[in-house]
Amino acid sequence: MKQISMWNLTPLAAVAAALFVALFAPVNARAQSQSDSKYANATITVATTANGDDSLHFFTSGCSGSLSGIGILVEINGTCWAWNQGPSVPRGLSMRITQDKLSFRHDGKEYVITDAGTVKRARDVLAPLMDIFERETALGDQQHALGEKQRDLGDQQRGVKVPVPDMSADFEKVEADAKRLSTDGGTQSDLGDLQSELGDLQSKLGDLQSQAGDAQSKLGDQQSELGDQQSALGDQQSRLGDKAKDMAPGITEKLLDILNQSVRSGTAKLS
């Protein structure tokens, strides 16, 4: 699936997978009961390239742009997913469905369906999408929370502190010995003693640095674990996106059939 880089399209890629599954698998109890979903009243837009056209231009409340070649757009409450597909995609689909109305364009004419049964049929087809949208939104929330934790750990790393013992007496002794040697001069042994004192101080400071490094390393390990969790969530999103790619042509064909049947039966009224 060729994702469109100009938007954050990941959420609906996963969402659409559920929409497509509805065509080939029994609708589960959760999907059938739209009242269970917080997106039960969601407004959904589905569009494909028009007949004879080779691009999809869309301007909706939630997104705008174009797809080169044959493409499909799905929008739910302002969140968009768009991708390019091969020639098997049914063309000329443009529909918007709310809780009690379905509006669409057919052969250059605008239609509205208010028949409760037809609207329910369309929403039942779309019901699995609502379920997956919630799941995908939850994945995004988890990733966001993990990102916040990683940032917090980064702040902790930068602010790591360790207890530092009072070494002022050691520094004062070194300073006093250095002044004495500066005034009186010093033998090789005197210089060696001063060097040893400095070495002891450096060793103590090195131990403190090591402690701080260990603390930072532990925080880094926690960040790495969070990164692994984010990667796992990303894998789940990717798998849902792959399903969407495979099933996209089928779902658009199913929706187009519903609209065509509505026009033939007179259920769809010119607006």
Side-chain angles (χ1 to χ4, degrees), residues 7 53 102 166 168 170 174 204 209 221 247 259 264:
W7 311 287
D53 196 2
L102 196 163
D166 185 1
S168 58
D170 296 322
V174 169
K204 291 178 181 179
Q209 285 183 314
D221 290 340
M247 298 180 181
L259 304 187
R264 288 195 296 268

Side-chain angles (χ1 to χ4, degrees), residues 157 160 210-224:
Q157 277 187 313
V160 163
S210 178
Q211 293 175 32
D214 290 342
Q216 287 182 319
S217 178
K218 290 178 182 179
L219 292 172
D221 290 340
Q222 294 179 48
Q223 283 186 313
S224 179

Side-chain angles (χ1 to χ4, degrees), residues 37-191:
S37 171
K38 68 178 181 179
Y39 299 105
N41 298 319
T43 296
I44 305 167
T45 300
V46 179
T48 68
T49 50
N51 290 322
D53 196 2
D54 63 351
S55 63
L56 173 63
H57 307 283
F58 46 91
F59 302 94
T60 69
S61 60
C63 58
S64 64
S66 299
L67 289 174
S68 299
I70 300 172
I72 300 173
L73 163 75
V74 178
E75 178 194 3
I76 299 181
N77 281 356
T79 302
C80 299
W81 176 43
W83 71 100
N84 291 108
Q85 289 284 354
S88 61
V89 174
R91 301 198 183 188
L93 173 62
S94 177
M95 62 172 287
R96 182 174 184 270
I97 179 170
T98 62
Q99 182 63 19
D100 55 6
K101 183 173 69 174
L102 196 163
S103 306
F104 66 98
R105 180 178 302 148
H106 184 276
D107 290 337
K109 299 177 181 179
E110 303 289 338
Y111 291 85
V112 174
I113 298 173
T114 56
D115 174 69
T118 303
V119 173
K120 182 179 183 302
R121 179 186 171 196
R123 292 199 71 90
D124 284 346
V125 170
L126 296 169
L129 181 144
M130 302 297 100
D131 180 57
I132 295 299
F133 192 21
E134 289 190 69
R135 289 167 53 195
E136 183 61 25
T137 300
L139 287 175
D141 291 342
Q142 292 177 48
Q143 285 186 313
H144 178 74
L146 290 174
E148 291 291 337
K149 289 181 179 180
Q150 284 186 313
R151 282 189 287 273
D152 289 342
L153 288 172
D155 291 339
Q156 293 178 45
Q157 277 187 313
R158 289 186 291 272
V160 163
K161 292 183 179 180
V162 295
V164 178
D166 185 1
M167 294 183 290
S168 58
D170 296 322
F171 282 104
E172 288 172 359
K173 186 177 186 307
V174 169
E175 183 179 10
D177 290 342
K179 286 182 178 180
R180 178 176 55 80
L181 293 178
S182 176
T183 302
D184 302 336
T187 65
Q188 185 177 19
S189 176
D190 292 333
L191 294 172

Side-chain angles (χ1 to χ4, degrees), residues 1-2 20 81 83 85 240-249:
M1 178 172 61
K2 181 179 179 182
F20 305 144
W81 176 43
W83 71 100
Q85 289 284 354
L240 290 172
D242 290 340
K243 289 182 181 180
K245 176 183 178 181
D246 294 338
M247 298 180 181

